[in-house]
Amino acid sequence: MSYLENGSTLRAMFRLMPPMRHDADPTRSEVVTYIRENLRCELGRALRAFDSMRHMKSAVLIFDRIHRQWRGCDWVPAEEVDKVSMLLAMITEMKRDISSLRSELRKVKGEVVWLRRRKGGKKTEDVADSDDEAQEEKNSPDVDSEELERKKREEEKAADRKAYNDYWGPIRAALAADQEASAPSVAPRSSPSDSTAPTQSPWENAEDEVS
């Protein structure tokens, strides 16, 4: 807040202003008259000061909605009974403000829910339209689409074949290497199939030894 000629501020001068009434006619306003007398200025400057002090950002002057009067932000009654009454009135006013804020919040929530439902319905309609378009494309004869489907099937078969070879190829190679390592280095001797020599059984050898 800007400083006055005497080095003070509007807050310092009017924060303890007692309750006064304001009128649409500035000449009949108790608040404007009080400001003019304390600032010793003309009517226009008093009105500008009043507009500045009652603004929400400065809040030097507060409006009492119960008694319909303006008062300083730090003003309190002299009597204890009046202080209690003032505090009760302030609490009642705050409750009204809270109730009003709650009603506004419920209204905003209702609008948000309505917008979400509307957005969801629009999204469902878009999905239905896209399904209809896909069905129409599927039913319509198209040579290019058939060719693409054939190529796609061939690519899928080639990919499956490659995956099969990549998986079983190393396994088969490992099994073949194990078989080669376990095979005997020298093959067993076998009698020639075309030989006419008689074979002697082990029982015959035993009889000769006994005789």
Side-chain angles (χ1 to χ4, degrees):
M1 186 175 292
S2 60
Y3 286 89
L4 302 175
E5 290 80 357
N6 57 3
S8 181
T9 60
L10 293 176
R11 178 177 293 275
M13 292 186 65
F14 297 98
R15 66 185 184 86
L16 299 176
M17 185 185 78
M20 297 182 181
R21 295 187 179 276
H22 178 62
D23 194 274
D25 185 1
T27 59
R28 299 173 57 185
S29 173
E30 297 177 359
V31 179
V32 175
T33 303
Y34 181 82
I35 294 173
R36 288 184 63 185
E37 291 176 355
N38 283 269
L39 293 181
R40 298 177 182 178
C41 63
E42 67 278 2
L43 181 60
R45 184 180 177 186
L47 288 174
R48 290 192 298 270
F50 175 60
D51 292 336
S52 176
M53 288 188 291
R54 69 177 177 177
H55 197 273
M56 294 180 60
K57 290 184 178 180
S58 60
V60 177
L61 300 180
I62 298 175
F63 183 68
D64 186 356
R65 287 182 288 184
I66 297 177
H67 300 92
R68 310 295 297 176
Q69 291 178 339
W70 288 91
R71 60 176 176 82
C73 58
D74 295 333
W75 178 86
V76 290
E79 299 293 335
E80 292 295 331
V81 178
D82 296 336
K83 289 181 181 179
V84 173
S85 300
M86 178 181 173
L87 291 175
L88 292 176
M90 292 175 62
I91 292 172
T92 304
E93 187 176 353
M94 291 175 65
K95 287 182 178 180
R96 291 177 181 175
D97 293 339
I98 293 172
S99 178
S100 178
L101 290 174
R102 285 180 178 176
S103 62
E104 291 293 333
L105 182 60
R106 286 194 296 268
K107 186 185 297 184
V108 172
K109 286 184 177 179
E111 293 178 356
V112 171
V113 172
W114 179 77
L115 290 173
R116 286 180 178 176
R117 290 178 179 175
R118 183 178 180 184
K119 185 177 180 180
K122 186 177 181 181
K123 186 176 181 180
T124 305
E125 293 177 359
D126 295 339
V127 172
D129 294 339
S130 62
D131 293 340
D132 294 340
E133 292 177 358
Q135 187 67 23
E136 291 178 359
E137 292 179 357
K138 184 177 179 180
N139 296 333
S140 61
D142 192 352
V143 179
D144 294 337
S145 62
E146 293 178 358
E147 184 68 19
L148 291 175
E149 289 293 334
R150 185 180 63 80
K151 289 183 179 180
K152 185 177 180 180
R153 287 194 296 270
E154 292 178 356
E155 291 177 356
E156 291 178 354
K157 290 181 180 179
D160 294 340
R161 193 180 302 110
K162 184 176 182 302
Y164 178 84
N165 294 332
D166 292 342
Y167 179 78
W168 288 106
I171 297 175
R172 290 175 178 174
L175 292 175
D178 292 340
Q179 290 178 358
E180 291 178 0
S182 62
S185 58
V186 179
R189 292 186 303 171
S190 61
S191 60
S193 62
D194 56 351
S195 174
T196 59
T199 59
Q200 189 176 9
S201 65
W203 298 102
E204 293 177 357
N205 295 334
E207 292 177 355
D208 293 342
E209 291 178 358
V210 172
S211 59

